Amino acid sequence: EEAGQSSSGDFPIATSEMAEDNPNPPPLSIIQGEVWLWECIAAHLPPKTLARLEGTCRHLRAAASDDALWKASLEHVVDTGGALPLHNMTHRAAARHVHAALEGGLQCPLVYCAEGVSSIDRQPEGPENVIPWSQCVSETFDLTPEMAMQMQSWGREVCHCCTGRPCYWSSAASADGDSDEWLLLRLRARVCVLQSLVLHPYRAWWQPRDEQSKYPVYAPKSMECEFGYFPGSVQNPLGRRAATPSPNEHSEGGEGEKEDLLHFKTSRVSVAHSAQGTSITLDKPLLVLGGHVRVRMYGKQQRQTLVYQMANEFYTCVQHIAVTGAAVRGLVCDTAGGEDGGGG
């Protein structure tokens, strides 16, 4: 129902015209009781409906001046991940910006660039390869090496991966199947509404089959994602050897340095030993602050099959990471320092 209209004849809702033109207005105690009732209802209304409601009469306009009401309304449409450190902004203003982002849909790709990585096997196999979706994956998903060789004999280049131009990120080799990796990705804005996140491990169709007669899929055992602002993990150039940041540690934040700030961390999910991809599902859209997502990958499931001497070494390889949602423009949080993160 539109605010200011009644769903039944015996429960009228006061409008501004009724309040001003009625020569015998109801007692103030009755109006206050109705306002109290509407405050209870308004806490469960989305921001757009709440904005319409406050325009119906001066009493509800005064009631809607309580910023706690707008905080509850904002949490009705998005998960704020707990505390929402706004930078000189009310929840009412935040709700307006978030609503504008939601109106545009939640299907936009949010990853702007890669800014850090735990390790790289070879420089062409860097983390920037996980941002675009490679055509060779869909074209070669059911391809065998024999079929690929036949297609190449016809003069068609099947995939750049086997010619030294990889479409994936690869970790450095490890003899430990329980070793961990991480990727740091920069989002398109410092404040975003997240709809989904999917990680696609890389399947090396051009490498020999493993001991189970399957083409190797270099998937981690499990994963989780951290959203926030992580300047301590930013690397320039990408791939310089750095200690893996602990999930519970922050940088010291000394003079001239910026402190790592964690806003939200997903639960850890198991990753299937498959190239199909593993999703992190959300009950409702998630408002994430800081402009960074750090994807932590725990353990390694696949040994190298390409060279016999390297058969005992494990790798994690990722073909694509998709983060979809919407960038929230105009909303500034204390964790981010007040600037947008990426391009349009």
Side-chain angles (χ1 to χ4, degrees):
E1 293 289 337
E2 293 288 335
Q5 297 182 3
S6 173
S7 59
S8 62
D10 57 350
F11 189 58
I13 301 173
T15 64
S16 56
E17 290 79 8
M18 292 171 61
E20 294 172 0
D21 299 337
N22 187 358
N24 299 306
L28 181 59
S29 60
I30 296 179
I31 295 177
Q32 290 174 336
E34 291 178 352
V35 171
W36 174 85
L37 176 62
W38 274 111
E39 285 180 347
C40 297
I41 297 173
H44 300 280
L45 296 177
K48 184 176 182 179
T49 306
L50 182 58
R52 290 174 175 174
L53 177 65
E54 71 170 341
T56 59
C57 72
R58 61 180 180 271
H59 299 288
L60 292 180
R61 188 179 302 115
S65 63
D66 183 0
D67 201 47
L69 199 62
W70 289 94
K71 180 177 183 293
S73 178
L74 179 62
E75 292 172 347
H76 178 79
V77 293
V78 295
D79 183 352
T80 60
L84 190 61
L86 299 174
H87 184 76
N88 296 327
M89 183 175 289
T90 64
H91 285 91
R92 187 187 194 283
R96 178 169 59 87
H97 292 296
V98 170
H99 172 72
L102 294 175
E103 287 280 285
L106 293 174
Q107 301 304 318
C108 298
L110 292 180
V111 177
Y112 180 65
C113 66
E115 290 198 331
V117 63
S118 53
S119 67
I120 297 177
D121 188 39
R122 296 184 300 113
Q123 197 58 44
E125 300 172 327
E128 64 277 2
N129 293 333
V130 309
I131 300 173
W133 181 256
S134 175
Q135 293 182 353
C136 77
V137 172
S138 58
E139 293 177 358
T140 65
F141 201 83
D142 297 318
L143 206 60
T144 66
E146 294 76 19
M147 294 169 60
M149 291 177 63
Q150 184 179 23
M151 294 177 69
Q152 287 174 342
S153 68
W154 297 340
R156 177 182 174 186
E157 189 175 45
V158 179
C159 177
H160 298 307
C161 299
C162 59
T163 60
R165 289 175 291 170
C167 64
Y168 57 88
W169 160 75
S170 174
S171 70
S174 175
D176 183 7
D178 292 326
S179 58
D180 304 330
E181 305 290 343
W182 55 268
L183 291 173
L184 181 69
L185 304 175
R186 182 180 175 188
L187 302 179
R188 291 191 174 273
R190 292 296 179 95
V191 182
C192 296
V193 178
L194 177 68
Q195 177 68 32
S196 64
L197 188 146
V198 185
L199 181 143
H200 295 268
Y202 179 66
R203 188 188 74 155
W205 60 270
W206 47 277
Q207 292 185 3
R209 299 173 189 258
D210 59 19
E211 60 272 12
Q212 298 177 346
S213 297
K214 296 180 179 180
Y215 294 108
V217 177
Y218 294 97
K221 296 178 180 178
S222 61
M223 63 174 287
E224 69 182 11
C225 296
E226 299 170 332
F227 294 91
Y229 182 52
F230 309 120
S233 298
V234 174
Q235 300 168 352
N236 190 14
L238 275 172
R240 65 172 173 81
R241 198 66 184 179
T244 301
S246 167
N248 299 316
E249 283 186 0
H250 302 300
S251 63
E252 292 297 326
E255 185 176 355
E257 297 181 359
K258 296 181 179 180
E259 185 179 1
D260 283 8
L261 296 171
L262 174 67
H263 176 234
F264 183 83
K265 181 168 67 174
T266 67
S267 58
R268 189 185 297 195
V269 297
S270 298
V271 177
H273 197 184
S274 164
Q276 296 288 352
T278 296
S279 302
I280 291 181
T281 57
L282 301 170
D283 295 332
K284 64 166 60 175
L286 174 66
L287 186 67
V288 292
L289 311 180
H292 280 149
V293 53
R294 187 161 54 198
V295 182
R296 293 187 178 275
M297 294 158 282
Y298 298 99
K300 297 176 172 65
Q301 301 192 55
Q302 185 67 57
R303 297 178 185 271
Q304 170 70 268
T305 65
L306 187 59
V307 182
Y308 178 77
Q309 291 88 334
M310 301 173 65
N312 288 326
E313 295 186 317
F314 290 89
Y315 290 84
T316 294
C317 300
V318 175
Q319 195 282 320
H320 184 55
I321 294 178
V323 182
T324 57
V328 181
R329 303 298 182 185
L331 182 58
V332 180
C333 59
D334 288 335
T335 61
E339 298 178 357
D340 277 349

